[in-house]
Amino acid sequence: MPTYRAPVKDMTFIINEVVRLQNYANLPGFEDATPDIIQAILEEGGKLAEEVLQPINQSGDAEGCTRHDDGSVTTPKGFKEAFKLYAEGGWMGLSAATEYGGQGLPHVLSSAMEELGCGANLAFNMYPGLTHGAIAAISLAASDELKEKYLPKMIAGDWTGTMNLTEPHCGTDLGMMRSKAEPQSDGSYKITGTKIFISAGEHDLTENIIHLVLAKIPGGPEGIKGVSLFLVPKFMVNGDGSLGERNGVACGSIEEKMGIHANSTCVLNYDGATGWLVGEEHKGMRAMFIMMNAARLGVGIQGLGLSEVAYQNAVDYANDRLQGRALTGPVNEDGPADPIIVHPDVRRMLMDLRAFNEGARALALWTALQGDLMHKSPDEAERQRASDLMGLMTPVIKGVFTDAGYANATTAQQCYGGHGYIKEWGMEQFVRDARITQIYEGTNGIQAMDLVGRKLPRDGGRAVREYFALLQSVLEDAGADERMAEFIAPMQAAIADLQGASMWLMQNAMQDPNHAGAGATAYMHLLGLVALGHMWILIVKAAHEALDGGTEDPDFYNNKLITARYFFARMLPDTAADRRKVEAGAAPVMALAANAF
Amino acid sequence: MPTYRAPVKDMTFIINEVVRLQNYANLPGFEDATPDIIQAILEEGGKLAEEVLQPINQSGDAEGCTRHDDGSVTTPKGFKEAFKLYAEGGWMGLSAATEYGGQGLPHVLSSAMEELGCGANLAFNMYPGLTHGAIAAISLAASDELKEKYLPKMIAGDWTGTMNLTEPHCGTDLGMMRSKAEPQSDGSYKITGTKIFISAGEHDLTENIIHLVLAKIPGGPEGIKGVSLFLVPKFMVNGDGSLGERNGVACGSIEEKMGIHANSTCVLNYDGATGWLVGEEHKGMRAMFIMMNAARLGVGIQGLGLSEVAYQNAVDYANDRLQGRALTGPVNEDGPADPIIVHPDVRRMLMDLRAFNEGARALALWTALQGDLMHKSPDEAERQRASDLMGLMTPVIKGVFTDAGYANATTAQQCYGGHGYIKEWGMEQFVRDARITQIYEGTNGIQAMDLVGRKLPRDGGRAVREYFALLQSVLEDAGADERMAEFIAPMQAAIADLQGASMWLMQNAMQDPNHAGAGATAYMHLLGLVALGHMWILIVKAAHEALDGGTEDPDFYNNKLITARYFFARMLPDTAADRRKVEAGAAPVMALAANAF
């Protein structure tokens, strides 16, 4: 049976010493996030993850969800009780608006909690995860009336939320959707259509479910420009907040999937269901993107959470399993063999995961801070820059973290040899669960296209220019310390690769957009490596400062330096291969006739 | 439901025009392998794969194997009938010795058939696959008496075989094994112990199963030097070949696995079972390695087979699924959207798979030819060189092809978007099935260590020097044609990376073996890319020759050139990153204290 240890120490290190949250105490909500409070919150969250969520992860996978003939869905044993504890702990509202009952704390904290939940139990964490996205969309786009009616219950964890986009014939290309919304005289709409792949679409965790549904109002513009967003509750809500009649939405079936068995993936049939417009008519995609951007960062963090738990278990196994002898002579002389962690190829696997996890955790929390800054900073220039950086990093975190999450879960499973393939060890579940993160909320190919086709050229390339300027100032700042030279040199080479690839795309993609498409995934991974390198520079700097200041835990900081050296020697230089792929252009990719494949 | 089309045309192209089997007609068995015969055999094998094996692949996964209280195991519906057709078709004995009823044809052909079986149904193909390994070990190491008693029935497909190595506490490190074999007065041994992860260990396909079992004879040398190999039939075989009493071996349980559900993975309990020594006492590993080397090539081909079937289905889906518009303008103007194959990032995925599959198929068949030459060539120097090259390529094909098989099955699944995660589409089964190939027959980390620790330094590095000389002569030969320049330049850069990395290892691994271990996996992938590049040079050369000769199918050959350009532009240059990882040495990998992970 796998275990999970909440990485609270690494999180507080990143928040206090790398991202340095205390520098932003002037922002609303940040004044409460003192190091003591942060520590207390993450320890409490870690306890929930370790003691409540993790123990029902493997059993939840084995049991799965069950749909009954009446369309109701039962979640696995223990999920309802766990959700109650999650809601009672106030976790749903950690960063939500105080006026609707939230705690208004920085997203840096709720992002850290997101990792803990996903590391412990991804299928469980999707139920609150989707609710967070729905809360974000309602908060930013819905009328005050809808907010007052729905947000308090959702923020309290009494009700959950969903996102309804996909239909059988359209996923990425939502302009083709057929679901329709007919306006009624009372200002509501009647929604009719079929939505598929609706995570957490039906369950027994809460008494109501608030669906956010994309549909077309008849007579509106064609395609994606005629799509509107609606709020459709499972049960109607009376004026006094009590629940009324069942609405016209029902779960037609649940999907048989590769993984995340404990999350119900539903076909939802809307048959004249009553809904209310969120935002403006035909501007549904704008509202949906608020939700999707929040969800995409959340999915990236899912990849990180799975990579972390897979790493922890692989480390435990590598320290326990005796097999063979160290190449340089026995280290466990009295035993029949050495633990496999002595073998360099096993360490290579573990170091790959460790160096990713620690850098990615910093990047996730750094990006969450940009998300706070873009809304809360009093300085307009800072808000804009944070919004630009957030936009640039969102597809990178979604795409790169989930590709890594899957690869790393696979690598951790590999450390187990044959036992990794056997269900009872639990490693293969991490792989099956991680696989969905590369697909949902926009496949990683779509993330890459969002990056090179939208985020990169937008505003004349302002975001990436701002990022290069930031990297420059980080290196200048770090460069004053001679001990940073060993890290700065490979970082400069990686930045040069990113600059070269960016320049190539800007010069060539205008004349042939297939150049952008052909290099998109490689470019996304290139930017991801540079962004991780950026974090490792900050981590190393923080480690030197702690060591210079006579920390009581020098091992912790020295291990940061050791792990950084692995990252800069073995992982970051892959930027060269990514750049070469970008600069190979469209021809090799597009030359074959479609019918010749 | 997935489909499968046997790639017979590509196989005959490789056999006749790339590997050029007709140049070896002087070897025994090869004189019968004329192009007509090859075509007929592969078409027949392709029919079996497409019409018999593939249709029971998905149902076999869903149903799995069932162990009954009496220890018997039932395979899924249709497997028994399919195995009968496989045996009746003579496929078990395609390359087996004619004196025991085999057809004695080149291994090039049986390797091609191996790919067809694995592409259609991996879990099924493991039953004959393990039998092939057992036949190889008995043929080369057992006494004539054992050969005469067991080989004809195994080659006819009346009985299957297994390999019994792993015990609960030892997999890679077989020196720790506890199973014991007590000599009896009649020359037989009584075998007692528990073996785990025994693929095809118990089933209902045939009336008898011949287990090859590693065990220790009491009083023998400690560790791996005291391991012997035994033949242990499930049912005793009488003098007249009829079956006698049940032997003392029983299936204790079958494992719940991530995939290959239709193959029974057994715990086998030996309780004083009667067995006969294969080869010499205490020299069991030598005999077992014969079997394992054959099995490792077979497992590599499993990776290729899965990559091919996953590719085919992804192509079909990409041509069918309408979503979005081509970046350069609509191609399906009358439809609601374009097929997703217009999108460069989808093509990137498909081209990655295609370029691997075609190059890997050539490499598998080229290596199978070395396997034939090392036994059958009349020229001792040629036998030795073939044996060296075979030894060098065996871990590469096992490790690189299965890493690619898993990655490519995952990529093909990605082309399906959300549907790829749903069981009924069948893509996730390819991923789950492919995963085991990286683990069994020695994990890929073990393959990498076999390569850098054993195959590379052996005989003063003779094998790799021979390989460099071969590459040199291939490039000189190809270089006479100006049109080859675009392929030769990147190939020379890749060879330089391989030479640099080889040199670095030879200079540094002696003083610190951890240098070899830390770079082993990167080196294996580097050699794999160069070997695929070698094949693509041969393929391009053959394509030019066919085009110059006025072929009736110029598209087939032009598409080879297009796919080669993709390989040389986008895949081969990754050798630079692999080389950099090798040359980073042991320090970054080994610096962290074991208890600090």
Side-chain angles (χ1 to χ4, degrees), chain A residues 469-489:
Chain A
L470 173 64
L471 291 172
Q472 193 56 37
S473 76
V474 166
L475 289 195
E476 274 168 22
D477 180 42
D481 183 344
E482 275 180 20
R483 296 169 301 180
M484 295 299 294
E486 62 170 313
F487 308 105
I488 288 177

Side-chain angles (χ1 to χ4, degrees), chain B residues 40-55:
Chain B
I41 289 175
L42 293 180
E43 278 182 4
E44 199 59 28
K47 241 171 79 176
L48 183 79
E50 292 173 356
E51 296 172 13
V52 177
L53 306 185
Q54 195 276 337

Side-chain angles (χ1 to χ4, degrees), chain A residues 174-188:
Chain A
L174 291 168
M176 294 199 290
M177 89 173 34
R178 293 181 192 143
S179 292
K180 62 175 199 265
E182 312 236 31
Q184 307 296 304
S185 55
D186 66 352
S188 72

Side-chain angles (χ1 to χ4, degrees), chain B residues 150 208-210 231-237 247 249 274 276:
Chain B
Y150 292 96
N208 206 3
I209 302 174
I210 310 306
L231 184 157
V232 184
K234 174 179 167 185
F235 283 97
M236 305 299 287
V237 178
N247 203 351
V249 50
T274 300
W276 288 270

Side-chain angles (χ1 to χ4, degrees), chain A residues 171 173 323-324 413 421 432 435, chain B residues 171 323-324 413 421 432 435:
Chain A
D173 189 354
Q323 208 78 180
Q413 179 190 23
Y421 201 65
R432 287 185 291 103
R435 186 67 187 89
Chain B
Q323 208 80 179
Q413 180 190 23
Y421 202 64
R432 288 185 291 102
R435 187 68 187 87

